[in-house]
Amino acid sequence: MGAAGGGQRLLAGDRLAGPVAQRAVPAAAPRQAPSWCYGTPGIARSLQLAALACQRPTTQRLAEDALASCSADPEQLARLHDATVCHGWAGLCLALHRAASDAGPDSVLHQHWATAQARLTALVQRSAPPPAAGFLTGADGILLALHTLTPARSVSPGWDARLLLT
């Protein structure tokens, strides 16, 4: 069945367990933050990429729906407490940005990305940067994300390949 089929089963099984597509966890488990590293955004983007590579539009839509659902869920969004790439708003924004770029022009992911980017920008403006430098959990990753998401200040394309988003 391949990676796309396995990922589709994971997300489809979760969709049947509740109204919001979640990670592959039992329905009784608490919702996780929509983190790039272990949450729906990273899993959905990986599934979207696999579906695109395998030309499976149904799986692609399932992945995009899962990402859209988690990025619109106030309960999940409330679990994002910082701006970092790994567990925060920068990672969610990067996943949304990359997924929206591969989704259709009418996809709700474009709107969700814009909303998440505004929240990331507001958080960065009102909060002190993380005390440590670092790519995943520090200020360096936040700055790279902001420069990637702001076309007027773009950075070298492909740096986020290390996050498996491209």
Side-chain angles (χ1 to χ4, degrees), residues 59-114:
T59 302
Q60 179 183 347
R61 281 190 303 279
L62 179 65
E64 292 167 1
D65 289 348
L67 181 53
S69 182
C70 82
S71 64
D73 181 3
E75 184 179 331
Q76 290 184 63
L77 295 176
R79 296 179 186 275
L80 292 175
H81 300 293
D82 63 42
T84 63
V85 171
C86 197
H87 298 104
W89 284 96
L92 174 61
C93 285
L94 288 168
L96 282 165
H97 172 65
R98 293 299 186 193
S101 70
D102 286 330
D106 296 331
S107 172
V108 71
L109 291 177
H110 299 284
Q111 177 186 352
H112 289 231
W113 168 61

Side-chain angles (χ1 to χ4, degrees), residues 1-10 47 50 54 56 59:
M1 176 167 278
Q8 182 176 0
R9 281 195 319 272
L10 292 175
L47 180 59
C54 297
R56 297 185 64 177
T59 302

